[in-house]
Amino acid sequence: MDVFYAYTYSTAAWFGIQAVPLFISPKLIITILSVEARKPTVLEEYLCRSLAFTLFTLAIISILLTGTIPLSSSLSESEITADPSDPKAPYAVPTLTVTATFHATTAFYSYMQYTRNGQIGFALSLICSGSLASVGCWCLVFGTEKGRISKRTGADKRTSGWPFKNEESDRKKGKKRL
């Protein structure tokens, strides 16, 4: 499940990228986002640094709860999957759901701010959060269960012939088409 690992690490990296400037220089962020240049208040600096700590915490939690970094001391041969029945990462799917929802909400908010203000920072946030939301939704839809792949043919057993018929298969099996 390489896409799942890529999503987990990308989510943590995006949270970290957002948190670093908030923690190091809240004055710079407030100056960039405000209309007039002024000195930030103590409350604004506190809220920026508090948001930075929150984003750092979310990055660490998203890595730990998805099982990307194993919390047990025993080594196992199999990799961690996003399957709900996987005992190595019981919180992988709920964490994936929460982070994908967070990215979708952030992308929507960034879009609204970009259309209102036209600042390029919101466009960057829209692109990154929207991409992560898309990958997260893809992992939720297609990556949370094992496919029903035939060991003999390698094809997915859940496919059907509707609305298109497989003429080659019908010809080999001797079926007549109407």
Side-chain angles (χ1 to χ4, degrees), residues 10 14 19 37 61 68 70 74-75 77 92 96-97 107 114-115 117 125 131 160 163 167-168 173 178:
S10 298
W14 180 236
I61 285 176
T68 306
S74 64
L75 296 174
E77 298 295 324
L96 184 63
T97 305
Y114 178 69
T115 56
N117 299 332
S125 175
S131 300
S160 70
E167 294 178 11
E168 183 68 24
K173 291 179 183 177
L178 297 175

Side-chain angles (χ1 to χ4, degrees), residues 111-151:
Y111 172 74
M112 297 305 290
Q113 289 297 321
Y114 178 69
T115 56
R116 195 175 105 203
N117 299 332
Q119 292 179 338
I120 198 71
F122 291 118
L124 176 66
S125 175
L126 169 64
I127 291 168
C128 292
S129 293
S131 300
L132 286 171
S134 299
V135 172
C137 289
W138 185 89
C139 286
L140 280 172
V141 172
F142 298 111
T144 55
E145 71 175 26
K146 297 273 186 195
R148 293 177 179 88
I149 306 297
S150 171
K151 291 179 184 176

Side-chain angles (χ1 to χ4, degrees), residues 78-99:
S78 63
E79 67 179 20
I80 295 167
T81 63
D83 189 19
S85 63
D86 187 5
K88 295 177 288 297
Y91 301 112
V93 175
T95 304
L96 184 63
T97 305
V98 168
T99 56

Side-chain angles (χ1 to χ4, degrees), residues 38-75:
R38 61 177 173 77
K39 186 176 178 180
T41 64
V42 176
L43 178 65
E44 289 172 334
E45 287 185 13
Y46 167 76
L47 291 175
C48 281
R49 289 205 168 108
S50 178
L51 178 60
F53 283 132
T54 303
L55 288 171
F56 280 135
T57 304
L58 282 174
I60 293 168
I61 285 176
S62 69
I63 288 177
L64 291 178
L65 289 182
T66 55
T68 306
I69 296 177
L71 296 176
S72 65
S73 60
S74 64
L75 296 174

Side-chain angles (χ1 to χ4, degrees), residues 6-32:
Y7 172 77
T8 302
Y9 287 127
S10 298
T11 294
W14 180 236
F15 286 155
I17 288 170
Q18 290 178 6
V20 166
L22 285 169
F23 182 73
I24 292 175
S25 179
K27 182 177 181 179
L28 175 69
I29 301 299
I30 293 168
T31 304
I32 289 172

Side-chain angles (χ1 to χ4, degrees), residues 155-167:
D156 192 352
K157 294 179 183 178
R158 296 176 293 176
T159 58
S160 70
W162 188 85
F164 305 107
K165 297 292 181 190
N166 189 346
E167 294 178 11

